[in-house]
Each structure stands twice: as structure tokens, then as C-alpha cells.
Amino acid sequence: MAATHKIFLPFLLKQQNHTTILRSIQTLLLYIIVSSPLWANSLDSLKHELSKTVEIEDRAKLLYELSQVYFKSDLDMSLNYLEEGILLLSQEPNSELLGEFYKNRGNVYLTKGFLINAKESYLQAEKIFTELGASKLRIRTQINLALLGQREKQFEKSEKEFLRLIKELEKMDDTFSEKYLPHIYLNLGALYDNTDNPQKAIQSLYTALNYCKGGVQDNLRGKVLHNMAIQYLKLGRLDDALNSIEEAYDIKQKTNDRGGVVNSLNILGNIHRLKGDFDIALPIYEVALEKAEELNSPTHMKDTYNNLYVYYEEVKEFENAIFYLKKYKEYSDLLLSETYEIQLERFEEQHELELARQELIDEKQNQQYVIIGLSVLMSLILIVCYLIFRYYRLNLKHQKAKTIQYQTEVELTQSEQEKIKVINEKLQADISFRDRELTTNIMHLMQKYELINSVSENIVALYDQVDAKTKKALRSIVFNLQNDKQGDVWKELEVRFEQVNQDFYDQLNTHYPKLTPNEKKLCAYLYLNLSTKDISSITHQSTKSIEVARFRLRKKLGLTNTDTDYQTFFKNLLSQE
């Protein structure tokens, strides 16, 4: 009780309190006047430096610093710088700085209430840090993911993740684990509070309190003690709650946490009200209301009005109770309206972001389609070029082979022609030889037959010089000589003629089948270029008979009224196929 009176003695002195408030306001205004230009100069300096920087890494660092500066004053500007940095570093997908950009973008979205976008950004950051083996950065991101799951009321999943992170940090045994373990236990205590498990909440908060060492963690220690007081209240342990909230109040006063001071005052007033110390509770509530009005915080004012309503209801001052109930309802509706407007604004912003992201996805997809189309087109062009090249190459080979074949054929043809020419010349020479031989034989035969004729004539001249019996014998000899001569002459002539001119009779029979045997013989004589006298001598016919036979033959061969001689006619006949 004494400790509480000692703490709140200045608040009970109204005049002194107003003087303190005025001084605080003056100090605050002076701080704003002094610090704002410095902040502006720093911001302008960063922007100026950014406009001159072209190196990707240096520019990305400046964008990161600007996003951090704007995070406390303008979330949209902070988000713009983060998006620009992500786009800039997209060419280097595995850099720690890119992971930091994604993590901070998740922080912005989480602050704005865009849980889906925040989760997506945290997961991107986690993936990058995991691939790079940056365990500390990964753990910080996973803490944020667990907090996000807690906001999404996925308490069981968040609890498992917090406990896993605690085990991992306890193995590290360094300043990093000492810094983040109390934060995790604090959040774990809040999770157990959400699931109505005050015993576990107090246990987690007590562990967090043990990790809070030194003045650097006073702010965190104040939050832990504040939450412990709430849990003690739920369990009805009012003295423990009082001790925790008084220590939390001292820390918040020391760290100038004005909103935290209002919250601690409200809990302190609730503890005294529950203990029945109404005289102490009322001035505490009144100071809390002044601090809330000073902060112009509707949330803190609503909570304080609610506590005053409950207080006056319990002390049976219903007029005041109704007044503060109306105030509570007024600020509840105001907050509800503001919350609705904020949620609507957030929904619209999220919808716009979703549309922009969908447009980006569509644009990327279209780019992928274009790239695929161009790749297919280039592949087809390459294939067509290859086929054309191969066609021309094969065609060139074919033409070359064809040329070689043609040259070979020409050479073979020339060789064959030369061979045929040689054979023809040889055959022609043979034919000429046979013709000469045939002509020679015919001349010999004609000489022989002339000799026979001469002998026959000499024998006939002896008829008058011999007796009848001898004459009869001589006549028989002459007759036999003449008959034997005619048959042998033609037979031998025909045999030799066919040896030399095998196709002669075939051509005659083909083209002139109506020729008689004697006419065929006459053709042979004429082909051999024998004169009428020679033919008459061979055939023992008169020259006139031979002339008549030649005329008839000329008519049958269709040579009447033409200048074609028999030699030319028969050569043309033999040349026909």
C-alpha cells in the first residue's frame, strides 16, 4: 500500500500534475522542433545520394535505409522503396540483402494488416536465407512467421514453431540467442493467453523475464511484467499482479512509453478495485484518463472509460456510471467506425495490390509465353536453316556424284564407243575382206565356168570330126559339164553370200515377201554389183532375159521412176531395223 502511495503521490496533486504536463509538452515540442530538421536533412541526404548512385548493390543499400526511415512515419513510402529494391536485386536472387528486403516488406504488410502479403514476403525471405545458410536471418524471419500464424489464430502451429526456435536458439549459446529468446518467450506467453492457459503463460513470461538482462532490454522487461500482471489477475493472485504491474510501471516511466504507462495505470486501478481499495483506484483511473486524453488515443480512452464505468457501478454511483458508460460506448463506436474504415481501406489497398500482383503475374506469364514463342520460332528457324543447309549440302554432294557419274559414264561411253568403233572397224574390215574374198571366189568361179564353156565349145567343134558313137559321148560330156556347173555355181555363191551378209534374205523376206527365189537370187547378184553380162554368164541366160528380169524386179521393189540404184537400195534396206 505504501509503495503504491509513493508512486502515485504526484498524480494526486492536481496542480503539480498540470505543471508537469505543461513542462512535458514544452519538452516534447522542443524535441520535435529540434529533431525534425535533422530527420529531414538525413532523409534529403539519402535521397540525394540515391539519385547519384548507379551501382546495383550501393543503390539497393540506400533504398533499404530509406525504407527503414519511412517505416516509422509512412508505410506506403517504405513499401515503395522496398518494392524498388526487390526489383533491382531480382537479377541476384541469392543475396542476403534481397532477403532483408522481403523480410521488411513482410513487416510493412503485417503492420498494415495485410496478412496474406506479409506471409508471402516472409516465406520468400526464409527461402533465400535458408539457401544461403544465413541461420540468424532465417530465425528472425521464422519468428515473424510464427507471430503471423498467431495473428491468424493458428495457435497450435505457432506454438510448435516457437518451441522449435527455442531449441535451436538454446544450442547457439551466443548474444544472438540471448537477444531473441526473451522475445520468443514473450510471444509464447501471449499465445497461451489467447488460448486461456494462464499457468503456461506465466511460466513462459517468467522465463522471458530471466533472459532480460541489463538496461538495453528494459522495454522488453516492462512488457513481460505487464503481461505477467494480466495473467496473475486472471488467476486471482492480486498481490503478485500488483508487484508485477508496479515494476512494469516504473520501467515504462523510465523508457517514456506513454501508451504503456496508461495501460499499466488501468491495470493497477483494476487491481486496487478488485482488492476493495476504491479510494486508491479512483485517482489512478483519473490519471490514466488524463494521460489517454493527452495522448489523444481513442483506444486508451475507451479502456479507461470502461474501467471508470465498472468502478462507479460497483460503488453505486449510477449517474457517473451511466456517464462513463456513454463515453465508453461513444469511443467504442468511434473505434468501430475507424476500424471499419481502416479495414475497408486495407481491403481496398489489398485488392489493388492483388490486382497489381495479378497484372504482374499476367505480364510475367505473357513474357514467358513470348519467350517460349520466340524460342520455338528460333528453334524452327534453326531447324529450317539446318534443313536448307543439309539440303544444299546433299544436293551439292548429289550434283558432285552425278557429275562424277556423268564423267564416268562419258568416259565409259567413249571407251565403249572406241571399243565399238574398233569392233565395227574390225567387222567392217572383216566384211570387206569377206566381200573381197567372195568377189575373188566369184571371179575364180567365173574363170572356171568360162574355161568349162571354152572346153565345151572346143568339144562341140569336134562333133564333125568323130563318128556317131564318139559324138554321142562328147555331147553327154558337154551336157554334164554345163548342168553341174550351174548348180554348183549358185550353191557355192549362196553359201558364201550368206556367210558375209546374214541379214540380207531376212530383210528381203520381211519387206518383200512376194519375191520369187529367182528374183531373190537376182537381188543377191545385184547386191554384189555384178553386171548383166556376169549374171548372164553365171545363170546361162541371155542378157536380154536378165534385163527384163531386172526391170520386173525394179518394179516389185518400188524403184520405178526413181534414180536409186540397186547398190544404194540394198544398203538402205540392210540399215533398217
Side-chain angles (χ1 to χ4, degrees), residues 494-524:
E494 187 177 24
V495 170
R496 291 183 179 277
F497 182 82
E498 287 182 356
Q499 288 178 351
V500 178
N501 302 285
Q502 298 176 358
D503 296 335
F504 183 77
Y505 289 113
D506 293 337
Q507 292 291 347
L508 281 177
N509 291 329
T510 300
H511 293 90
Y512 305 100
K514 293 183 179 182
L515 293 176
T516 64
N518 288 331
E519 288 172 339
K520 293 177 182 179
K521 290 178 184 179
L522 181 58
C523 287

Side-chain angles (χ1 to χ4, degrees), residues 300-359:
H300 291 94
M301 292 170 71
K302 174 184 73 71
D303 293 339
T304 308
Y305 283 137
N306 182 56
N307 290 333
L308 284 167
Y309 154 69
V310 173
Y311 169 83
Y312 280 113
E313 187 179 37
E314 288 186 1
V315 296
K316 309 298 183 183
E317 294 184 18
F318 298 109
E319 186 176 349
N320 287 332
I322 293 172
F323 172 77
Y324 285 112
L325 177 60
K326 288 180 180 180
K327 283 289 186 181
Y328 167 74
K329 185 70 170 58
E330 177 185 344
Y331 278 89
S332 294
D333 292 342
L334 176 64
L335 285 173
L336 185 63
S337 176
E338 289 181 355
T339 303
Y340 174 76
E341 290 177 0
I342 292 171
Q343 288 178 347
L344 183 61
E345 183 181 351
R346 287 179 178 178
F347 176 78
E348 290 175 352
E349 289 181 7
Q350 190 164 7
H351 180 64
E352 290 176 0
L353 287 171
E354 287 294 331
L355 289 176
R357 186 172 65 173
Q358 188 61 42
E359 288 178 0

Side-chain angles (χ1 to χ4, degrees), residues 35-282:
S35 63
S36 295
L38 294 174
W39 179 82
N41 289 336
S42 175
L43 192 61
D44 291 339
S45 175
L46 287 172
K47 289 182 177 179
H48 179 69
E49 190 69 25
L50 180 66
S51 66
K52 298 189 302 179
T53 305
V54 293
E55 291 293 330
I56 292 178
E57 187 175 355
D58 295 338
R59 187 174 179 83
K61 289 179 179 178
L62 289 170
L63 289 170
Y64 184 81
E65 288 185 43
L66 282 166
S67 71
Q68 291 291 86
V69 172
Y70 274 111
F71 183 78
K72 298 177 181 179
S73 59
D74 191 336
L75 292 175
D76 291 330
M77 284 298 295
S78 177
L79 185 61
N80 288 338
Y81 284 116
L82 289 169
E83 292 288 1
E84 185 178 348
I86 290 170
L87 184 63
L88 182 66
L89 292 174
S90 59
Q91 302 172 7
E92 302 176 9
N94 289 329
S95 69
E96 284 190 6
L97 187 56
L98 178 60
E100 289 279 12
F101 270 101
Y102 276 117
K103 182 175 73 65
N104 282 3
R105 188 176 75 170
N107 293 341
V108 173
Y109 280 134
L110 185 63
T111 305
K112 289 169 71 70
F114 299 160
L115 303 185
I116 296 175
N117 303 85
K119 188 173 186 179
E120 181 181 347
S121 298
Y122 286 144
L123 289 174
Q124 287 280 3
E126 181 188 26
K127 180 182 177 183
I128 292 172
F129 294 144
T130 302
E131 290 176 355
L132 293 174
S135 58
K136 293 181 179 180
L137 293 172
R138 172 184 55 79
I139 289 172
R140 287 170 57 189
T141 306
Q142 289 171 342
I143 291 172
N144 291 346
L145 277 169
L147 286 171
L148 182 62
Q150 189 174 340
R151 288 277 297 273
E152 293 175 333
K153 301 188 183 303
Q154 297 179 1
F155 300 121
E156 185 175 353
K157 182 179 178 181
S158 294
E159 180 186 7
K160 289 180 180 179
E161 184 63 13
F162 279 136
L163 294 174
R164 185 192 67 78
L165 289 168
I166 288 170
K167 288 181 179 179
E168 187 173 358
L169 284 169
E170 286 175 346
K171 292 178 182 178
M172 296 177 72
D173 193 23
D174 58 7
T175 55
F176 178 80
S177 62
E178 291 177 358
K179 178 180 179 181
Y180 283 97
L181 275 172
H183 286 278
I184 296 176
Y185 277 112
L186 174 62
N187 292 322
L188 192 59
L191 185 147
Y192 289 133
D193 179 44
N194 291 330
T195 56
D196 294 326
N197 194 338
Q199 291 289 357
K200 279 191 172 183
I202 290 173
Q203 184 179 353
S204 297
L205 293 169
Y206 185 76
T207 306
L209 194 62
N210 289 334
Y211 278 105
C212 293
K213 299 177 182 178
V216 293
Q217 291 183 320
D218 277 347
N219 190 33
L220 180 63
R221 183 179 178 86
K223 292 179 181 179
V224 173
L225 289 166
H226 182 93
N227 289 354
M228 287 182 70
I230 293 173
Q231 301 306 313
Y232 285 137
L233 272 177
K234 289 184 177 181
L235 294 173
R237 295 166 58 179
L238 300 181
D239 291 335
D240 292 331
L242 182 60
N243 292 331
S244 296
I245 201 63
E246 285 179 348
E247 188 175 353
Y249 175 80
D250 286 340
I251 293 172
K252 289 175 182 180
Q253 283 274 65
K254 180 180 176 182
T255 58
N256 197 28
D257 182 2
R258 299 168 70 194
V261 167
V262 175
N263 290 333
S264 295
L265 287 173
N266 274 309
I267 293 175
L268 189 60
N270 290 339
I271 294 171
H272 284 290
R273 177 176 56 80
L274 291 171
K275 293 182 72 171
D277 299 330
F278 295 104
D279 293 338
I280 299 175
L282 181 58

